[in-house]
Amino acid sequence: SSAAADSYDNDEEHLPAGQHLLVDIKNVNSAFLNSAERLAEAMVEVVSLSELTLLSYHCHALIPQGVSCVGVLLESHISFHTWPDDGVITLDLFTCGSGLLVPVVPVIERLFGVPQDGAGQYVPSDADGTTSKTYTPREEDYLEPPRMVWSHVLRGFRPEIKNGWRPLEADIGDALGMLELDYKKVITTTVTPYQQIDVVDVISPLHGSIRSYERSVRPEISTYESAHPELYRPNRMVFLDGIIQSTSRGDEAYHEALVHPAMFAHPDPKRVAIIGGGEGATLREVLKHRTVEEVKMIEIDEMMVNTSREVLPGWSDCSDLVGSTPSCFDDPRTDLKCEDALAWFIDRFSDETGIDSSDDDADDNDEEDTDEEDGTDEYSLPFDIIIMDALDPQDNIEFADALYSNNVFLDSLYEALTDDGVFVLQLGESPGGSDVAEELNEKNRHQIMSMVEDAGFQSMHIYEESHCGFGYPWSFLVACKSEACRFLWYLNEAEKSLDIQYRLLPTVSGQSPLHYFDGATMRSYQNPPKAWETVYCHRRPMPQSCAKYRGYDKNTVNYSINDFEVRMSSLGEGAGRGVFAKVDIPAGSFIAGEESSKKLHFSHTTTELMESLYENVPEFKELGDVLRYTYGYGFQQSTVAEYEYYIDSGFLTFVNHGCNGTSNIGEEDTMSFSEDIGLVDLLKLNSPPSSQMRRSTLDLVIDRHLPSFAAGYDESSRDIKAGEELLQNYMYFMSYSEDWKLQVLDQKAQCRGEVLGQVRQDEIEALDKEEEDSRDDDEDDKD
């Protein structure tokens, strides 16, 4: 004992801390539980196999039954108590040494979980009178084997680790510490040069039970569980350095949410790069796209890939994809590189290399001999999609800091993308509405988001998924080099579902290759979550959009529809009808705010379809009336596509354009641009001002309230007297460059009195036709 104590003193640091293991086992052999001698032998063997030091022990047989034992360890103690008639034993092991207790769990289960005779078998009662030849298994005859629940927790106080943590102090510690889990088993613990990999199977009473799981693996009994065993498997959880990375219950939701929104935001993704993703599930999702020709997967930890092949085969299962291989790692389109992704991208795509990632250069490189002997590097070809499936940016460790705060690395990722390339990464646990602004916390998330915006990405989208298996919603960021990706991002549910149908590979089973993502799911990703918007508006100074687009300002006076009337315009007969104020309206007032949201919306797809049918199919010539109505009364927006149309459905549709500085209403953003047609020089201003209204690549308020932002609302830009006509600045009514130029020329001609407006022309034509039809009817009556 003295020598052992000396050895312990020399090898272990004495800290006011320890580990506590609680173990409960039922369905144990009653004779074993009532034998103090056998129990003592089991206790001594557990201590020995656990490399602990037993100083003394005492076991006491109780009357009428049961045994209590306690063993004094050099490291602390072990104790247990038994209830033989109930087949139950509860055990308590506490140590203050540094040796881990989790590996002791299977030893305790083997030595103390002694089964009853016939356990795991169907044992009919003697009263049945059945024989082995006539017996049909019944569930009530099944003799259950021992079942164990256990809990491992860290106790006491330990010094804080700067820039990191102990794995058992992280997520895996929470999982191992839950005694209420019906089932818990450590599948593997692997320490690599880069990290510790833990894989644990659990069954939570929230999602199942050990009883249901055992039914599912007994096909001889006809039950719902045995008919659907896939629904009752334990939840396999993957931890890296103690941080949860993936679960079998949330695998599809997480990885489909990470991959497919970005993939479908690109019109034709062929080359894809994955940073990290050692489980293989991100690769699996990418390979489902028929357009993909090559996937460069750059994972620094080869042992992570090997562990995934061995104990996470479902994560990289491509067996159901037509033309693929059983393992996605072996798919011919996969190019796996076990290298440092930071160095890989920086070496090939940083500014210092002078590599141009334009599509033209990519085409040229495709024609070159990429053999390294010729001095070329095929890995310098740009990618359509880059997926960062690495550490959570909120992880407080050195490597996460290097990954998410390295401007050179991020710039190299930007340069590694084609001109319409898309970058996606996970942002970690979603914020709550009571959280401080992102830039005020000590995490990397705000920094990486700012770096992505500063790098030059033209469109950024934040979304979250609540079914990833992490216990809380998880956030993702998609960033596009081209603003054109917004059109694909905002496709409606039917359009997205059709795109999915066309883009994905068929399966051997005939089932959809996707288990979670579909058009309806994508619809839920299109607008940022409320909590993200709230935290965004916690910034100081508060972004301007927070005050403008989160509902109407109650402090601003609104003049309702009853304060206006429609009559012939004061601009002359050629202007048609106009809207007039019936009361005095001060500057800065809302103009019929209740009407602003009542707009007819023709999306870009709808407008293009109507235009195509009208121009190419004779049977659809009547669509011309709808299009003329759209062009005449509507205004364009480019928040989603090059153009789409919104049309006021109420009296505001009759508001005319003011010439030479006479407009008196409009949106705040439109009031800064001159409406004086004579001042508009198309040689200098060749794009519409409305196309420049989105001030920031990432504005979570505007993106969350996109319909309200696109539809807009009107304010009085100056005092309006009763009887005065409302006039708008039509220069903001066009967002498509070619239409904008024609609009300016047309407005110049109208302001000079040379032509009529389109609406007035249509009305005159309709009146002429009505008069002609009336004359024809009169002549028919005379005949």
Side-chain angles (χ1 to χ4, degrees):
S1 297
S2 175
D6 292 342
S7 174
Y8 178 82
D9 290 339
N10 293 333
D11 294 340
E12 303 293 339
E13 179 183 4
H14 291 286
L15 296 172
Q19 301 172 70
H20 200 174
L21 186 64
L22 300 176
V23 180
D24 298 341
I25 311 176
K26 68 178 181 178
N27 303 328
V28 181
N29 185 284
S30 59
F32 169 74
L33 294 180
N34 209 32
S35 171
E37 182 179 356
R38 294 175 64 186
L39 290 166
E41 291 174 354
M43 179 178 65
V44 171
E45 190 171 356
V46 164
V47 172
S48 175
L49 294 175
S50 304
E51 298 182 355
L52 299 171
T53 305
L54 183 64
L55 301 179
S56 64
Y57 72 89
H58 176 73
C59 288
H60 186 77
L62 304 176
I63 298 175
Q65 61 175 352
V67 176
S68 285
C69 287
V70 61
V72 179
L73 307 176
L74 177 63
E75 297 82 4
S76 189
H77 72 268
I78 181 173
S79 63
F80 56 83
H81 183 82
T82 70
W83 291 263
D85 281 353
D86 299 300
V88 172
I89 179 174
T90 61
L91 183 145
D92 175 351
L93 173 59
F94 182 88
T95 67
C96 53
S98 62
L100 295 177
L101 289 187
V102 174
V104 179
V105 173
V107 176
I108 293 176
E109 182 177 28
R110 177 173 61 84
L111 293 175
F112 284 94
V114 177
Q116 308 171 67
D117 294 339
Q121 302 176 24
Y122 294 93
V123 181
S125 63
D126 296 337
D128 289 343
T130 59
T131 65
S132 58
K133 293 182 179 180
T134 62
Y135 176 68
T136 300
R138 296 179 304 182
E139 186 174 5
E140 58 268 26
D141 294 338
Y142 184 72
L143 193 60
E144 295 180 354
R147 291 180 181 168
M148 178 178 71
V149 295
W150 56 278
S151 166
H152 175 279
V153 296
L154 297 179
R155 300 285 300 277
F157 303 93
R158 292 171 174 79
E160 182 179 350
I161 297 178
K162 186 178 180 180
N163 200 26
W165 56 79
R166 300 172 182 86
L168 285 173
E169 292 177 327
D171 296 336
I172 191 171
D174 295 337
L176 299 182
M178 297 177 66
L179 189 63
E180 63 269 25
L181 293 178
D182 281 6
Y183 176 85
K184 185 163 59 237
K185 181 177 182 180
V186 177
I187 303 302
T188 185
T189 295
T190 304
V191 178
T192 81
Y194 305 99
Q195 58 200 345
Q196 176 176 313
I197 306 167
D198 290 284
V199 180
V200 181
D201 277 359
V202 303
I203 296 177
S204 167
L206 295 175
H207 303 119
S209 66
I210 186 67
R211 179 75 174 231
S212 295
Y213 169 60
E214 290 180 346
R215 285 174 177 168
S216 74
V217 296
R218 299 205 301 266
E220 64 276 10
I221 299 292
S222 179
T223 62
Y224 181 85
E225 292 88 341
S226 63
H228 303 279
E230 70 281 0
L231 302 179
Y232 296 93
R233 296 168 183 158
N235 186 23
R236 182 153 293 189
M237 309 174 73
V238 183
F239 301 87
L240 298 183
D241 287 333
I243 302 297
I244 189 167
Q245 302 295 313
S246 186
T247 71
S248 58
R249 289 186 65 88
D251 165 30
E252 288 92 353
Y254 172 81
H255 290 100
E256 291 183 18
L258 172 67
V259 171
H260 298 299
M263 294 292 288
F264 284 105
H266 191 284
D268 187 28
K270 290 183 169 62
R271 298 192 78 241
V272 180
I274 299 173
I275 299 171
E279 303 114 312
T282 300
L283 174 65
R284 177 195 70 209
E285 297 305 319
V286 171
L287 292 173
K288 292 177 181 179
H289 288 254
R290 66 172 77 239
T291 60
V292 170
E293 298 173 356
E294 180 184 13
V295 186
K296 192 83 64 180
M297 178 176 164
I298 308 167
E299 163 62 58
I300 193 171
D301 195 345
E302 185 174 9
M303 292 180 68
M304 178 70 216
V305 175
N306 294 336
T307 300
S308 298
R309 284 181 179 269
E310 181 180 352
V311 298
L312 304 173
W315 271 253
S316 58
D317 183 4
C318 280
S319 61
D320 198 34
L321 289 181
V322 172
S324 187
T325 53
S327 172
C328 302
F329 292 120
D330 302 322
D331 188 289
R333 295 171 291 169
T334 300
D335 184 10
L336 174 62
K337 301 293 179 184
C338 292
E339 302 179 29
D340 180 357
L342 276 77
W344 195 94
F345 277 96
I346 290 173
D347 289 347
R348 290 162 175 79
F349 296 103
S350 67
D351 291 338
E352 289 78 6
T353 65
I355 294 172
D356 186 349
S357 66
S358 67
D359 293 330
D360 292 339
D361 287 345
D363 293 338
D364 293 340
N365 287 335
D366 284 340
E367 297 173 3
E368 296 176 0
D369 183 357
T370 58
D371 194 324
E372 293 184 3
E373 295 180 0
D374 294 336
T376 59
D377 185 0
E378 62 177 316
Y379 304 127
S380 297
L381 298 177
F383 298 94
D384 299 308
I385 308 286
I386 295 178
I387 303 170
M388 185 181 287
D389 185 17
L391 295 172
D392 178 352
Q394 299 185 102
D395 289 347
N396 184 30
I397 60 174
E398 186 174 351
F399 183 69
D401 291 340
L403 193 65
Y404 293 107
S405 62
N406 189 326
N407 277 299
V408 176
F409 174 53
L410 187 64
D411 288 342
S412 71
L413 295 181
Y414 182 85
E415 294 300 325
L417 285 166
T418 54
D419 289 343
D420 55 357
V422 180
F423 173 51
V424 60
L425 71 157
Q426 55 110 345
L427 293 177
E429 181 181 348
S430 298
S434 60
D435 289 352
V436 300
E438 286 289 313
E439 63 265 34
L440 298 180
N441 63 38
E442 299 178 354
K443 305 300 183 181
N444 293 305
R445 183 158 64 192
H446 173 70
Q447 187 164 353
I448 186 65
M449 290 165 60
S450 298
M451 288 167 52
V452 169
E453 185 169 6
D454 293 342
F457 289 94
Q458 296 301 300
S459 187
M460 296 168 61
H461 306 271
I462 286 179
Y463 58 101
E464 72 179 17
E465 176 51 58
S466 302
H467 298 84
C468 298
F470 302 142
Y472 25 76
W474 210 252
S475 290
F476 304 86
L477 171 66
V478 162
C480 307
K481 284 186 76 171
S482 169
E483 198 171 16
C485 88
R486 294 178 66 82
F487 172 66
L488 293 175
W489 184 264
Y490 289 108
L491 289 178
N492 64 40
E493 178 182 341
E495 290 171 317
K496 185 61 68 175
S497 297
L498 189 61
D499 203 12
I500 291 172
Q501 185 70 23
Y502 286 146
R503 293 267 291 267
L504 298 186
L505 286 170
T507 61
V508 176
S509 66
Q511 302 297 313
S512 170
L514 300 180
H515 296 86
Y516 190 82
F517 182 84
D518 58 15
T521 303
M522 184 62 212
R523 177 67 188 87
S524 71
Y525 295 161
Q526 289 175 348
N527 305 107
K530 177 65 175 178
W532 270 103
E533 176 197 54
T534 302
V535 171
Y536 175 77
C537 291
H538 285 168
R539 293 181 176 184
R540 291 295 178 268
M542 187 172 69
Q544 184 178 357
S545 59
C546 295
K548 285 191 62 177
Y549 298 109
R550 303 178 81 194
Y552 292 112
D553 184 356
K554 296 181 180 179
N555 296 319
T556 301
V557 177
N558 175 60
Y559 286 82
S560 71
I561 185 173
N562 297 323
D563 297 318
F564 304 93
E565 63 180 348
V566 177
R567 48 189 168 87
M568 296 307 294
S569 174
S570 62
L571 300 178
E573 183 180 351
R577 286 175 293 275
V579 178
F580 294 80
K582 295 165 62 176
V583 298
D584 290 344
I585 300 175
S589 302
F590 284 135
I591 305 298
E594 70 277 11
E595 295 291 302
S596 297
S597 60
K598 300 176 182 179
K599 289 183 171 65
L600 181 63
H601 176 215
F602 289 143
S603 69
H604 181 72
T605 304
T606 301
T607 305
E608 276 198 327
L609 179 60
M610 289 194 300
E611 290 171 338
S612 176
L613 291 173
Y614 172 71
E615 293 171 2
N616 301 301
V617 183
E619 291 81 3
F620 285 91
K621 288 303 179 184
E622 291 185 358
L623 277 176
D625 294 335
V626 179
L627 290 171
R628 280 190 293 273
Y629 167 71
T630 303
Y631 302 152
Y633 286 99
F635 61 90
Q636 289 182 346
Q637 273 286 15
S638 59
T639 53
V640 169
E642 286 182 324
Y643 64 87
E644 53 183 348
Y645 281 91
Y646 288 84
I647 308 170
D648 281 301
S649 61
F651 75 95
L652 291 174
T653 195
F654 297 112
V655 173
N656 278 304
H657 172 71
C659 295
N660 305 320
T662 57
S663 69
N664 51 26
I665 71 167
E667 292 189 60
E668 183 180 346
D669 291 319
T670 69
M671 297 176 188
S672 61
F673 180 75
S674 173
E675 60 163 336
D676 192 337
I677 295 297
L679 298 179
V680 178
D681 187 347
L682 292 177
L683 295 178
K684 295 180 179 179
L685 185 65
N686 55 16
S687 63
S690 62
S691 66
Q692 305 163 12
M693 287 177 62
R694 289 177 67 246
R695 295 184 180 90
S696 174
T697 304
L698 180 65
D699 190 315
L700 297 176
V701 176
I702 288 179
D703 285 345
R704 179 168 172 81
H705 302 279
L706 200 58
S708 297
F709 171 76
Y713 60 91
D714 293 314
E715 297 179 31
S716 52
S717 58
R718 59 174 174 80
D719 291 342
I720 302 173
K721 298 296 183 181
E724 187 177 350
E725 183 172 3
L726 306 187
L727 299 172
Q728 276 188 319
N729 184 353
Y730 277 20
M731 291 301 96
Y732 270 86
F733 277 26
M734 290 292 153
S735 62
Y736 188 47
S737 295
E738 293 303 317
D739 290 343
W740 148 259
K741 295 174 184 178
L742 294 174
Q743 174 83 358
V744 171
L745 294 174
D746 183 64
Q747 288 298 323
K748 284 186 175 184
Q750 288 186 51
C751 286
R752 292 193 299 264
E754 297 173 357
V755 298
L756 298 177
Q758 181 64 52
V759 171
R760 187 55 180 158
Q761 291 181 44
D762 292 341
E763 288 179 343
I764 292 174
E765 290 177 6
L767 289 172
D768 291 343
K769 187 176 185 303
E770 184 177 335
E771 290 178 2
E772 182 181 346
D773 291 342
S774 179
R775 286 194 299 268
D776 291 341
D777 290 341
D778 290 342
E779 291 177 3
D780 290 341
D781 291 340
K782 292 178 181 179
D783 292 339

